[in-house]
Amino acid sequence: MSDSRRTYSSQVFDGPDRAPSRAMMYAVGHKKEDFDKPQIGVASTWSEVTPCNVHIDRLAKESAKGVDAAGGKSIIFNTITISDGISMGTEGMKYSLVSREVIADSVETVAGCEGMDGIVAIGGCDKNMPACIIALARLNRPGVFVYGGTIQPGCATVQGEQKDLDVVSVFEAVGKHAAGEFTDEDLQTVEENAIPGEGSCGGMYTANTMASAIEALGMSLPNSSAQDAISEDKMRDCFDAGAAVMNMLEKGICPRDILTRKAFENAITVVIALGGSTNAVMHLLAMAHAAGVELSIDDFTEIGKRVPMLADLKPSGRFVMSDLVKIGGTVPLMQMLLDAGLLHGDCLTVTGKTMAENLANLNTKYPEGQEIIRPLDNPIKKDSHLRILYGNLAPGGAVAKITGKEGDSFTGKACVFDCEEDGMAAILDGKIQDGDVIVIRREGPKGGPGMREMLGPTSAVMGRGLGDTVALITDGRFSGGSHGFVVGHITPEAHVGGPIALLQDGDEITIDAVNNKISANLSDEEFEARRAQWQPYEPRYKRGVLAKYAASVTSASEGAVTDKFE
């Protein structure tokens, strides 16, 4: 009798005519009896490119042990990863969002080609996490995601004061150095001590945001998103994920059974409560698209009306993810939200149980006196910090992260730049003044191409002490580490003739995060006159992966996906 768990591997390995396939696998360690077991791929994003992923080879091996112990046969394979933190502010950063598609395609390709019956996917950096979920949704074979875990904060004495540091501290130190506040030695001290070891960037930046969102989706085991990269808990999480995939095979549970509309609403809710990154908007849209779930930017607004921001986490807050780990992680937060009726408890998860059942089994609460997660009746912000803005500058929408600490509105004069480098140079050279709205355009999905993050400019603004007095808008996007009065994802982008392409120095711009509007004080007639003079831009790349990406990518408001279908 054939094994129903081996739907795909049986096509590759069963029968006399498949002897060549089996022969190849003997060479990599398979034994005769292994061909009767479900073949489980362990998709590792290990590399020495970035501290976020440098330890994932060890995690992959632990997940493989979990698969094998549960009666499967593990096969570890790698995909690429890139580092935003290293490439930020350079031409290389244009490959960052592109890598999400490359990673998703590669995981799908390997698993599809090799007849894998299930997948454990392990990610530890911004793009490889949503990429793994996109691939699992496309394949729709039993699969579990494992987060590589958060880094510990760095620590150093700077100008006589001991400070906790992280990657954003370095970017802001560059601005302080430019302003004369930091000496060369101060900058060097921060540089050498901010990133002490393995794990993803420590605040509620994009990596920790997406890990939390994926757990809320039900695609990783409880608290997988809130564990230190180097910890016994993380190793246990990896082992258990291997066993969980085998359990999903037994029960016939596939990713699209989990990735429902309600699950995505849960993910948005948790992202808002944690004060997560603006990148979550784009990535969740892309993940929903892969799962065949209808989701739009306006859903973030609707859900945001009823969900408060509760976490006092960096970049706008005081604490890092490792601090949240110490008090119990994300599970007590989700229990709070469930008890308040803000989560759908009936959503299925990779444990084979519902979210409510998982939380009831754990039954944990935060310790008395902790200050990281506020109670629901005393939030940091009573509604969402993620604001979807519309107006004559963004008829297709834009995304802002406004926690309230920046104020609720800003009006100023445009200082327009056609690339990130020019905007960054102006900030560091002291050319940006109080009341300016920095406009960085031609950085959208098509125009960049690749939609670079603006952590360099936003951190330089903070470092120069302008965080309360200037704003920055772009058709690019922001790192989860960015904070201040910033608006990204402006759609349509400049490259396709969006209104941002028509702005000129001195135009008055208003950002209203209460009424969710972004507009230029220009008449329709003035816009039309400028449009008549506008000339389309030449593509910056005409061959290679960036050119292919620019030719196929959709707008930021559609998730910047490359496999659009009706």
Side-chain angles (χ1 to χ4, degrees):
M1 181 181 294
S2 63
D3 188 337
S4 61
R5 301 175 303 168
R6 298 185 56 246
T7 301
Y8 301 98
S9 61
S10 62
Q11 300 173 35
V12 175
F13 293 126
D14 289 5
D17 61 319
R18 304 311 304 168
S21 303
R22 296 191 295 274
M24 295 282 280
M25 296 308 293
Y26 280 116
V28 298
H30 270 51
K31 296 180 174 60
K32 183 176 182 295
E33 58 270 22
D34 290 332
F35 295 108
D36 295 326
K37 302 173 183 176
Q39 306 293 296
I40 306 298
V42 179
S44 168
T45 55
W46 171 83
S47 78
E48 293 181 345
V49 167
T50 166
C52 308
N53 292 65
V54 72
H55 63 304
I56 286 180
D57 56 338
R58 299 198 303 274
L59 303 189
K61 291 173 183 175
E62 197 65 20
S63 285
K65 290 178 184 176
V67 168
D68 296 342
K73 181 65 182 85
S74 61
I75 304 171
I76 298 175
F77 67 94
N78 259 77
T79 182
I80 66 160
T81 197
I82 54 87
S83 172
D84 294 355
I86 295 170
S87 63
M88 196 75 69
T90 73
E91 195 73 0
M93 185 63 192
K94 293 181 177 180
Y95 291 89
S96 171
L97 189 57
V98 177
S99 77
R100 186 188 73 186
E101 308 307 300
V102 175
I103 295 164
D105 289 351
S106 66
V107 173
E108 177 192 356
T109 298
V110 174
C113 174
E114 302 300 327
M116 293 171 175
D117 300 301
I119 308 287
V120 177
I122 309 174
C125 205
D126 299 12
K127 309 309 167 299
N128 57 49
M129 291 191 285
C132 287
I133 299 300
I134 290 168
L136 292 177
R138 290 178 187 168
L139 289 161
N140 203 32
R141 304 175 190 186
V144 176
F145 177 78
V146 176
Y147 178 42
T150 188
I151 197 172
Q152 293 284 329
C155 184
T157 300
V158 184
Q159 296 184 337
E161 182 181 352
Q162 189 172 20
K163 295 184 177 181
D164 284 342
L165 303 168
D166 64 9
V167 64
V168 177
S169 306
V170 192
F171 282 95
E172 293 185 358
V174 172
K176 292 179 179 180
H177 182 265
E181 182 180 341
F182 271 12
T183 65
D184 291 347
E185 291 75 16
D186 294 331
L187 180 59
Q188 185 69 27
T189 297
V190 174
E191 174 187 327
E192 290 180 355
N193 293 281
I195 304 171
E198 301 164 357
S200 297
C201 299
M204 189 46 62
Y205 310 145
T206 306
N208 283 317
T209 297
M210 293 314 302
S212 302
I214 291 168
E215 182 181 331
L217 279 170
M219 285 300 296
S220 57
L221 296 174
N223 249 352
S224 180
S225 67
Q227 295 165 338
D228 290 327
I230 307 303
S231 66
E232 291 184 7
D233 285 344
K234 180 48 62 185
M235 296 300 280
R236 190 177 304 111
D237 181 43
C238 293
F239 186 92
D240 290 347
V245 171
M246 295 300 296
N247 182 54
M248 291 175 74
L249 272 172
E250 292 286 349
K251 294 186 174 183
I253 299 171
C254 292
R256 288 186 214 160
D257 300 322
I258 296 169
L259 295 170
T260 63
R261 166 74 189 200
K262 284 184 176 180
F264 279 97
E265 290 180 0
N266 283 347
I268 294 171
T269 296
V270 169
V271 166
I272 292 170
L274 287 169
S277 166
T278 54
N279 281 318
V281 177
M282 179 182 301
H283 292 324
L284 285 169
L285 290 173
M287 291 152 64
H289 173 76
V293 172
E294 289 190 13
L295 195 71
S296 79
I297 54 174
D298 297 328
D299 290 316
F300 288 81
T301 298
E302 290 306 308
I303 294 169
K305 291 176 182 177
R306 62 180 183 264
V307 179
M309 177 181 165
L310 302 175
D312 192 12
L313 293 166
K314 289 186 176 184
S316 59
R318 294 176 291 162
F319 299 99
V320 294
M321 193 67 174
S322 188
D323 296 319
L324 182 60
V325 170
K326 291 183 179 73
I327 64 166
T330 50
V331 165
L333 171 66
M334 287 195 276
Q335 184 67 66
M336 288 170 54
L337 295 170
L338 179 66
D339 291 344
L342 295 173
L343 288 179
H344 302 291
D346 58 345
C347 289
L348 185 65
T349 74
V350 293
T351 65
K353 299 177 181 178
T354 65
M355 174 174 284
E357 289 171 332
N358 287 342
L359 294 174
N361 288 339
L362 293 165
N363 192 28
T364 57
K365 294 182 179 181
Y366 291 124
E368 291 290 331
Q370 63 83 23
E371 299 179 343
I372 302 170
I373 302 294
R374 295 272 194 95
L376 286 160
D377 60 1
N378 182 28
I380 291 172
K381 192 172 187 290
K382 65 180 178 61
D383 56 4
S384 179
H385 64 298
L386 295 176
R387 313 304 290 188
I388 306 301
L389 311 180
Y390 289 96
N392 65 5
L393 276 183
V399 182
K401 182 166 69 172
I402 308 295
T403 66
K405 297 178 181 180
E406 310 84 353
D408 292 321
S409 64
F410 191 98
T411 298
K413 300 294 184 181
C415 296
V416 182
F417 305 96
D418 275 343
C419 65
E420 179 185 355
E421 287 85 352
D422 290 350
M424 183 70 168
I427 297 165
L428 293 178
D429 291 346
K431 295 178 180 178
I432 302 301
Q433 306 298 317
D434 291 350
D436 286 343
V437 178
I438 305 162
V439 179
I440 299 179
R441 65 189 179 195
R442 297 191 66 195
E443 292 288 2
K446 289 182 178 292
M451 208 178 180
R452 286 191 287 184
E453 292 180 344
M454 302 291 156
L455 181 56
T458 58
S459 297
V461 163
M462 289 294 175
R464 289 197 71 96
L466 296 169
D468 297 329
T469 58
V470 306
L472 192 157
I473 71 172
T474 179
D475 54 5
R477 60 197 174 92
F478 295 107
S479 163
S482 292
H483 57 122
F485 220 104
V486 297
V487 182
H489 306 211
I490 289 179
T491 305
E493 61 174 290
H495 187 77
V496 299
I500 191 173
L502 309 177
L503 287 176
Q504 297 175 4
D505 287 341
D507 288 342
E508 185 178 81
I509 295 172
T510 295
I511 305 163
D512 180 349
V514 175
N515 297 301
N516 295 333
K517 293 183 178 179
I518 179 169
S519 58
N521 186 18
L522 297 171
S523 66
D524 292 344
E525 291 77 15
E526 176 62 22
F527 264 127
E528 287 307 312
R530 292 184 186 184
R531 184 170 298 286
Q533 299 297 315
W534 180 73
Q535 295 294 318
Y537 304 110
E538 279 290 312
R540 284 175 163 144
Y541 287 83
K542 296 184 178 180
R543 60 176 59 200
V545 67
L546 293 179
K548 288 191 287 186
Y549 181 84
S552 61
V553 69
T554 64
S555 75
S557 290
E558 297 171 286
V561 298
T562 56
D563 59 347
K564 183 73 173 175
F565 51 83
E566 296 300 324

